[in-house]
Amino acid sequence: MIAALVAGLLAGYGIAVPVGAVAAYLIALTTRTSLTTGACAALGVATADGLYALVATVGGSAVAATIRPVLVPLRWCSALVLIVLAVRGLAGAVARYRERAAPARAAGPPMGPGRAYLGLLAITMLNPTTVVYFAALVLGGQNTVAADQPRRAVFVLAAFAASASWQLLLAGGGVLLGRALTGARGRLVTALVSSLVMTALALNLLIT
């Protein structure tokens, strides 16, 4: 059981720690909104990782074999979503920067916690390589992970907890960044960097 717990924690951190487009978007979203919204978005990412861990432990090699033939179209879909998010984020930041000296006017409702959770869950679920990653881990450690139902449950819960802790840390970083960059120019720079990161990673998906 301890081995399954350790394996789940390592798997969760292994897929969550590399900072990619989702992490960049999560930080930028928290910077623009609030810690509550960012935390819900972080839990959306962790939920997707936990679901993929569950699918991998149940399906194993069969799941990986099913996903691989559609990796290319799903990769293109994921890249398109990232590019749309990057363009929208940058366009919104530029609009807010240009209006900083204009009279205040009613703005659209900010993204709420529920919408942030569902949005990040959907974005993360578009990454099919995650299930292949978890399936490979399960296949490589059948004796400690997939031996029985309790060990599978421990593995999935540990993977979710590890991913959630890291994503919440990123959301907290977004709050601190938002407080440090309170000026219009600082927020514009933050949005620009986030959009560039997402666009670069989207292009990388298309050429690999």
Side-chain angles (χ1 to χ4, degrees), residues 29 33-44 110-120:
L29 174 64
T33 55
S34 66
L35 179 59
T36 300
T37 299
C40 288
L43 292 177
M111 181 180 292
R115 183 181 169 192
Y117 174 85
L118 294 176
L120 269 293

Side-chain angles (χ1 to χ4, degrees), residues 37-64:
T37 299
C40 288
L43 292 177
V45 177
T47 300
D49 287 341
L51 289 174
Y52 270 138
L54 175 62
V55 170
T57 56
V58 173
S61 58
V63 175

Side-chain angles (χ1 to χ4, degrees), residues 26-27 29 31 37 43 45 55 71-72 81 104 109 133 135 140 147 173 186 196:
L26 172 61
I27 294 172
L29 174 64
T31 301
T37 299
L43 292 177
V45 177
V55 170
L71 277 178
V72 173
V81 170
Y133 166 84
L196 288 176

Side-chain angles (χ1 to χ4, degrees), residues 1 4 57 141-155:
M1 198 69 70
T57 56
Q142 290 285 345
N143 294 332
T144 59
V145 176
D148 51 44
Q149 293 297 335
R151 290 185 182 180
R152 291 179 181 177
V154 168
F155 175 83

Side-chain angles (χ1 to χ4, degrees), residues 11 38 45 77 102 110 115 118 121-122 125 127 136 146 152 155 159 162-163 172 179 181 187-189 192 198 205:
V45 177
C77 183
R115 183 181 169 192
L118 294 176
L121 172 64
M125 290 295 290
N127 183 12
R152 291 179 181 177
F155 175 83
S163 178
R179 290 176 179 174
L181 300 174
R187 292 183 179 273
L188 176 63
V189 171
L192 175 61
M198 285 191 287
L205 284 174

Side-chain angles (χ1 to χ4, degrees), residues 11-18 22 44-57 60 63-64 67-68 71 74-75 78 120-139 155 159-160 163 167 205:
Y13 283 121
I15 195 65
V17 168
V22 173
V45 177
T47 300
D49 287 341
L51 289 174
Y52 270 138
L54 175 62
V55 170
T57 56
V63 175
I67 292 293
R68 283 195 183 98
L71 277 178
L74 286 177
R75 185 180 292 119
S78 179
L120 269 293
L121 172 64
I123 293 170
T124 309
M125 290 295 290
L126 281 172
N127 183 12
T129 55
T130 306
V131 72
V132 176
Y133 166 84
F134 279 114
L137 289 177
V138 172
L139 292 173
F155 175 83
F160 169 80
S163 178
Q167 306 302 337
L205 284 174

